Amino acid sequence: MLKSERLILRAVRRDDLPRLCEFNNDLEVELAGAGDPPTPQSLERLQADFDQRVSKGGRDGTWFAIETGGKLIGQCGLFNFDEFKGVAHVCELGISIGDKSYWGRGYGREAIRLLLDYAFRYWNIHRVWLRTNSENERALRCYRACGFVEEGRLRQHEWQNGRYFDTVCMGVLRSEWESGRAAGKT
Ligand SMILES: CC(C)(COP(=O)(O)OP(=O)(O)OC[C@H]1O[C@@H](n2cnc3c(N)ncnc32)[C@H](O)[C@@H]1OP(=O)(O)O)[C@@H](O)C(=O)NCCC(=O)NCCS
């Protein structure tokens, strides 16, 4: 549905689930991406959740599979739209490239730029924000390259792998995104 030079962002399909399940059970991916302790996930549970959502009908929302060259490499999307839509116009962004062979090759920023354009252009969003772990340097650099700035820290908010980490909150305003684009920076 959304396309860039190398990527397609499209709805998640049932035949994606085995690969997504592999990503969800990869400890390195889980630890990089989440503040919660890692837990195993069965394919059956993932399929049951998927089927339940599909049975409700309607559209697929704002969560996308990330595909390149016909291969599924991760997921990303917008969520937590402000409750009073039409007032603040704020939402949160999340991304996980589960195929580690695609880390650090610019795919993350390409997907995020597509998502930001989608948020600002089609959803009339005013501010997009996200949170990440203070030790996730790859993510921090990727987000900065897309125009996100650090807005605050929840100190020692996450426990991972035997240590506390800060949660870093970052955001980008529509005006910053537009001026960054005009200057060719984002
Ligand atoms: C975080 C993530 C989306 C970033 O996407 P990506 O495609 O890997 O990132 P990019 O290639 O666009 O940018 C990576 C940046 O980190 C740098 N980098 C690459 N490997 C690194 C490493 N091991 N340590 C530190 N920095 C690293 C790159 O040089 C680049 O920075 P630069 O442009 O300033 O040189 C992706 O790696 C991912 O999904 N990781 C697993 C889950 C996760 O961390 N999710 C985010 C949760 S908030």
mmCIF file of all heavy atoms in Angstrom, residues 32-33 95-97 102-109 131-132 136-139 141-143, ligand 1:
data_model
loop_
_atom_site.group_PDB
_atom_site.id
_atom_site.type_symbol
_atom_site.label_atom_id
_atom_site.label_comp_id
_atom_site.label_asym_id
_atom_site.label_seq_id
_atom_site.Cartn_x
_atom_site.Cartn_y
_atom_site.Cartn_z
ATOM 1 N N ALA A 32 16.055 -6.126 21.906
ATOM 2 C CA ALA A 32 16.325 -4.811 21.298
ATOM 3 C C ALA A 32 15.062 -3.967 21.294
ATOM 4 O O ALA A 32 15.101 -2.763 21.507
ATOM 5 C CB ALA A 32 16.841 -4.993 19.875
ATOM 6 N N GLY A 33 13.927 -4.609 21.065
ATOM 7 C CA GLY A 33 12.721 -3.843 20.785
ATOM 8 C C GLY A 33 11.824 -3.542 21.952
ATOM 9 O O GLY A 33 11.118 -2.542 21.938
ATOM 10 N N ILE A 95 8.220 0.082 15.451
ATOM 11 C CA ILE A 95 8.828 -0.658 14.331
ATOM 12 C C ILE A 95 9.697 -1.780 14.867
ATOM 13 O O ILE A 95 10.337 -1.631 15.914
ATOM 14 C CB ILE A 95 9.677 0.290 13.430
ATOM 15 C CG1 ILE A 95 10.276 -0.495 12.247
ATOM 16 C CG2 ILE A 95 10.766 1.000 14.211
ATOM 17 C CD1 ILE A 95 10.814 0.397 11.127
ATOM 18 N N SER A 96 9.693 -2.886 14.149
ATOM 19 C CA SER A 96 10.639 -3.953 14.455
ATOM 20 C C SER A 96 11.025 -4.657 13.161
ATOM 21 O O SER A 96 10.168 -5.218 12.479
ATOM 22 C CB SER A 96 10.025 -4.953 15.434
ATOM 23 O OG SER A 96 10.968 -5.972 15.684
ATOM 24 N N ILE A 97 12.302 -4.565 12.828
ATOM 25 C CA ILE A 97 12.812 -5.351 11.708
ATOM 26 C C ILE A 97 13.296 -6.659 12.324
ATOM 27 O O ILE A 97 14.295 -6.680 13.057
ATOM 28 C CB ILE A 97 13.929 -4.596 10.965
ATOM 29 C CG1 ILE A 97 13.329 -3.325 10.347
ATOM 30 C CG2 ILE A 97 14.567 -5.481 9.900
ATOM 31 C CD1 ILE A 97 14.277 -2.497 9.533
ATOM 32 N N TYR A 102 18.934 -7.501 7.928
ATOM 33 C CA TYR A 102 18.548 -6.202 7.347
ATOM 34 C C TYR A 102 18.805 -5.046 8.301
ATOM 35 O O TYR A 102 18.487 -3.910 7.987
ATOM 36 C CB TYR A 102 17.075 -6.232 6.897
ATOM 37 C CG TYR A 102 16.885 -7.057 5.641
ATOM 38 C CD1 TYR A 102 16.743 -8.443 5.730
ATOM 39 C CD2 TYR A 102 16.896 -6.478 4.377
ATOM 40 C CE1 TYR A 102 16.602 -9.226 4.584
ATOM 41 C CE2 TYR A 102 16.761 -7.245 3.230
ATOM 42 C CZ TYR A 102 16.613 -8.612 3.346
ATOM 43 O OH TYR A 102 16.487 -9.380 2.208
ATOM 44 N N TRP A 103 19.369 -5.305 9.445
ATOM 45 C CA TRP A 103 19.667 -4.221 10.391
ATOM 46 C C TRP A 103 20.813 -3.360 9.855
ATOM 47 O O TRP A 103 21.758 -3.874 9.235
ATOM 48 C CB TRP A 103 20.081 -4.788 11.743
ATOM 49 C CG TRP A 103 18.960 -5.351 12.559
ATOM 50 C CD1 TRP A 103 17.640 -5.433 12.216
ATOM 51 C CD2 TRP A 103 19.069 -5.942 13.857
ATOM 52 N NE1 TRP A 103 16.922 -6.027 13.215
ATOM 53 C CE2 TRP A 103 17.769 -6.357 14.240
ATOM 54 C CE3 TRP A 103 20.122 -6.165 14.742
ATOM 55 C CZ2 TRP A 103 17.513 -6.968 15.474
ATOM 56 C CZ3 TRP A 103 19.864 -6.786 15.961
ATOM 57 C CH2 TRP A 103 18.573 -7.167 16.321
ATOM 58 N N GLY A 104 20.740 -2.071 10.151
ATOM 59 C CA GLY A 104 21.849 -1.161 9.850
ATOM 60 C C GLY A 104 22.072 -0.919 8.367
ATOM 61 O O GLY A 104 23.150 -0.471 7.967
ATOM 62 N N ARG A 105 21.066 -1.162 7.562
ATOM 63 C CA ARG A 105 21.208 -0.965 6.113
ATOM 64 C C ARG A 105 20.206 0.063 5.578
ATOM 65 O O ARG A 105 19.915 0.096 4.388
ATOM 66 C CB ARG A 105 21.035 -2.306 5.392
ATOM 67 C CG ARG A 105 22.148 -3.287 5.740
ATOM 68 C CD ARG A 105 21.813 -4.716 5.326
ATOM 69 N NE ARG A 105 21.521 -4.841 3.914
ATOM 70 C CZ ARG A 105 21.020 -5.950 3.355
ATOM 71 N NH1 ARG A 105 20.772 -7.024 4.099
ATOM 72 N NH2 ARG A 105 20.785 -5.995 2.077
ATOM 73 N N GLY A 106 19.677 0.864 6.492
ATOM 74 C CA GLY A 106 18.811 1.964 6.068
ATOM 75 C C GLY A 106 17.359 1.581 5.832
ATOM 76 O O GLY A 106 16.551 2.433 5.460
ATOM 77 N N TYR A 107 17.004 0.307 6.085
ATOM 78 C CA TYR A 107 15.614 -0.099 5.849
ATOM 79 C C TYR A 107 14.688 0.504 6.909
ATOM 80 O O TYR A 107 13.549 0.859 6.618
ATOM 81 C CB TYR A 107 15.484 -1.620 5.830
ATOM 82 C CG TYR A 107 16.063 -2.242 4.580
ATOM 83 C CD1 TYR A 107 17.375 -2.720 4.555
ATOM 84 C CD2 TYR A 107 15.311 -2.323 3.413
ATOM 85 C CE1 TYR A 107 17.915 -3.279 3.406
ATOM 86 C CE2 TYR A 107 15.848 -2.881 2.254
ATOM 87 C CZ TYR A 107 17.143 -3.356 2.255
ATOM 88 O OH TYR A 107 17.678 -3.895 1.111
ATOM 89 N N GLY A 108 15.190 0.594 8.137
ATOM 90 C CA GLY A 108 14.377 1.155 9.215
ATOM 91 C C GLY A 108 13.980 2.580 8.910
ATOM 92 O O GLY A 108 12.809 2.963 8.984
ATOM 93 N N ARG A 109 14.952 3.393 8.528
ATOM 94 C CA ARG A 109 14.610 4.804 8.268
ATOM 95 C C ARG A 109 13.727 4.947 7.034
ATOM 96 O O ARG A 109 12.883 5.832 6.979
ATOM 97 C CB ARG A 109 15.868 5.674 8.201
ATOM 98 C CG ARG A 109 16.718 5.495 6.995
ATOM 99 C CD ARG A 109 18.030 6.215 7.161
ATOM 100 N NE ARG A 109 18.741 5.755 8.349
ATOM 101 C CZ ARG A 109 19.875 6.250 8.793
ATOM 102 N NH1 ARG A 109 20.437 7.235 8.160
ATOM 103 N NH2 ARG A 109 20.455 5.772 9.867
ATOM 104 N N ARG A 131 9.006 5.551 21.828
ATOM 105 C CA ARG A 131 9.904 5.344 22.971
ATOM 106 C C ARG A 131 10.851 4.218 22.643
ATOM 107 O O ARG A 131 10.504 3.290 21.912
ATOM 108 C CB ARG A 131 9.130 5.060 24.254
ATOM 109 C CG ARG A 131 8.102 3.988 24.131
ATOM 110 C CD ARG A 131 7.214 3.954 25.337
ATOM 111 N NE ARG A 131 5.809 3.982 24.922
ATOM 112 C CZ ARG A 131 4.789 4.145 25.743
ATOM 113 N NH1 ARG A 131 5.006 4.328 27.018
ATOM 114 N NH2 ARG A 131 3.550 4.143 25.304
ATOM 115 N N THR A 132 12.058 4.337 23.178
ATOM 116 C CA THR A 132 13.024 3.265 22.975
ATOM 117 C C THR A 132 13.934 3.180 24.179
ATOM 118 O O THR A 132 13.929 4.038 25.059
ATOM 119 C CB THR A 132 13.822 3.487 21.658
ATOM 120 O OG1 THR A 132 14.581 2.313 21.371
ATOM 121 C CG2 THR A 132 14.774 4.666 21.757
ATOM 122 N N ASN A 136 19.742 1.276 23.004
ATOM 123 C CA ASN A 136 19.496 0.839 21.624
ATOM 124 C C ASN A 136 20.020 1.915 20.653
ATOM 125 O O ASN A 136 19.271 2.678 20.056
ATOM 126 C CB ASN A 136 17.999 0.580 21.412
ATOM 127 C CG ASN A 136 17.712 -0.191 20.140
ATOM 128 O OD1 ASN A 136 18.574 -0.284 19.268
ATOM 129 N ND2 ASN A 136 16.515 -0.730 20.029
ATOM 130 N N GLU A 137 21.341 1.952 20.540
ATOM 131 C CA GLU A 137 22.001 3.002 19.757
ATOM 132 C C GLU A 137 21.578 2.972 18.284
ATOM 133 O O GLU A 137 21.414 4.020 17.656
ATOM 134 C CB GLU A 137 23.530 2.816 19.885
ATOM 135 C CG GLU A 137 24.363 3.970 19.358
ATOM 136 C CD GLU A 137 24.059 5.329 20.009
ATOM 137 O OE1 GLU A 137 23.701 5.369 21.198
ATOM 138 O OE2 GLU A 137 24.158 6.350 19.297
ATOM 139 N N ARG A 138 21.388 1.772 17.784
ATOM 140 C CA ARG A 138 20.980 1.660 16.376
ATOM 141 C C ARG A 138 19.623 2.356 16.157
ATOM 142 O O ARG A 138 19.436 3.117 15.210
ATOM 143 C CB ARG A 138 20.885 0.192 15.974
ATOM 144 C CG ARG A 138 20.662 -0.017 14.505
ATOM 145 C CD ARG A 138 20.464 -1.471 14.160
ATOM 146 N NE ARG A 138 21.636 -2.287 14.317
ATOM 147 C CZ ARG A 138 21.814 -3.197 15.267
ATOM 148 N NH1 ARG A 138 20.873 -3.437 16.143
ATOM 149 N NH2 ARG A 138 22.919 -3.896 15.338
ATOM 150 N N ALA A 139 18.702 2.086 17.072
ATOM 151 C CA ALA A 139 17.376 2.697 16.962
ATOM 152 C C ALA A 139 17.471 4.214 17.148
ATOM 153 O O ALA A 139 16.886 4.982 16.371
ATOM 154 C CB ALA A 139 16.437 2.085 18.003
ATOM 155 N N ARG A 141 19.885 6.274 16.572
ATOM 156 C CA ARG A 141 20.488 6.931 15.395
ATOM 157 C C ARG A 141 19.512 6.940 14.229
ATOM 158 O O ARG A 141 19.411 7.918 13.490
ATOM 159 C CB ARG A 141 21.785 6.225 15.003
ATOM 160 C CG ARG A 141 22.891 6.427 16.025
ATOM 161 C CD ARG A 141 24.108 5.631 15.639
ATOM 162 N NE ARG A 141 24.810 6.281 14.552
ATOM 163 C CZ ARG A 141 25.970 6.908 14.686
ATOM 164 N NH1 ARG A 141 26.541 6.972 15.866
ATOM 165 N NH2 ARG A 141 26.552 7.464 13.655
ATOM 166 N N CYS A 142 18.815 5.838 14.073
ATOM 167 C CA CYS A 142 17.829 5.740 12.989
ATOM 168 C C CYS A 142 16.726 6.785 13.191
ATOM 169 O O CYS A 142 16.357 7.508 12.256
ATOM 170 C CB CYS A 142 17.265 4.313 12.991
ATOM 171 S SG CYS A 142 15.868 4.093 11.923
ATOM 172 N N TYR A 143 16.222 6.911 14.422
ATOM 173 C CA TYR A 143 15.122 7.851 14.679
ATOM 174 C C TYR A 143 15.588 9.296 14.486
ATOM 175 O O TYR A 143 14.873 10.123 13.932
ATOM 176 C CB TYR A 143 14.561 7.644 16.093
ATOM 177 C CG TYR A 143 14.008 6.261 16.337
ATOM 178 C CD1 TYR A 143 14.073 5.669 17.598
ATOM 179 C CD2 TYR A 143 13.432 5.520 15.306
ATOM 180 C CE1 TYR A 143 13.569 4.393 17.822
ATOM 181 C CE2 TYR A 143 12.933 4.235 15.517
ATOM 182 C CZ TYR A 143 13.009 3.679 16.778
ATOM 183 O OH TYR A 143 12.522 2.410 16.998
HETATM 184 C C1 LIG B 1 15.735 -0.117 15.292
HETATM 185 C C2 LIG B 1 15.565 -0.443 13.805
HETATM 186 C C3 LIG B 1 14.132 -0.161 13.377
HETATM 187 C C4 LIG B 1 16.501 0.484 13.005
HETATM 188 O O1 LIG B 1 16.388 0.148 11.653
HETATM 189 P P1 LIG B 1 17.746 -0.063 10.808
HETATM 190 O O2 LIG B 1 17.361 -0.311 9.409
HETATM 191 O O3 LIG B 1 18.549 -1.111 11.491
HETATM 192 O O4 LIG B 1 18.415 1.362 10.999
HETATM 193 P P2 LIG B 1 19.159 2.295 9.937
HETATM 194 O O5 LIG B 1 20.059 1.436 9.096
HETATM 195 O O6 LIG B 1 18.161 3.150 9.258
HETATM 196 O O7 LIG B 1 20.030 3.207 10.922
HETATM 197 C C5 LIG B 1 20.882 2.593 11.870
HETATM 198 C C6 LIG B 1 21.857 3.568 12.460
HETATM 199 O O8 LIG B 1 22.561 2.911 13.501
HETATM 200 C C7 LIG B 1 23.949 2.740 13.147
HETATM 201 N N1 LIG B 1 24.286 1.367 13.556
HETATM 202 C C8 LIG B 1 24.245 0.244 12.835
HETATM 203 N N2 LIG B 1 24.631 -0.801 13.596
HETATM 204 C C9 LIG B 1 24.906 -0.307 14.818
HETATM 205 C C10 LIG B 1 25.354 -0.894 16.030
HETATM 206 N N3 LIG B 1 25.602 -2.192 16.137
HETATM 207 N N4 LIG B 1 25.536 -0.076 17.091
HETATM 208 C C11 LIG B 1 25.285 1.251 16.994
HETATM 209 N N5 LIG B 1 24.869 1.867 15.866
HETATM 210 C C12 LIG B 1 24.675 1.078 14.794
HETATM 211 C C13 LIG B 1 24.014 2.968 11.652
HETATM 212 O O9 LIG B 1 25.294 3.417 11.266
HETATM 213 C C14 LIG B 1 22.928 4.044 11.489
HETATM 214 O O10 LIG B 1 23.329 5.289 11.998
HETATM 215 P P3 LIG B 1 23.912 6.498 11.097
HETATM 216 O O11 LIG B 1 22.958 6.739 9.982
HETATM 217 O O12 LIG B 1 24.005 7.635 12.058
HETATM 218 O O13 LIG B 1 25.245 6.017 10.583
HETATM 219 C C15 LIG B 1 15.924 -1.934 13.508
HETATM 220 O O14 LIG B 1 17.331 -2.130 13.685
HETATM 221 C C16 LIG B 1 15.162 -2.910 14.385
HETATM 222 O O15 LIG B 1 13.983 -3.103 14.181
HETATM 223 N N6 LIG B 1 15.851 -3.528 15.365
HETATM 224 C C17 LIG B 1 15.270 -4.563 16.217
HETATM 225 C C18 LIG B 1 14.113 -4.123 17.079
HETATM 226 C C19 LIG B 1 14.243 -2.723 17.602
HETATM 227 O O16 LIG B 1 15.282 -2.317 18.085
HETATM 228 N N7 LIG B 1 13.150 -1.978 17.477
HETATM 229 C C20 LIG B 1 13.058 -0.631 17.927
HETATM 230 C C21 LIG B 1 12.354 -0.592 19.191
HETATM 231 S S1 LIG B 1 12.071 1.044 19.778
#
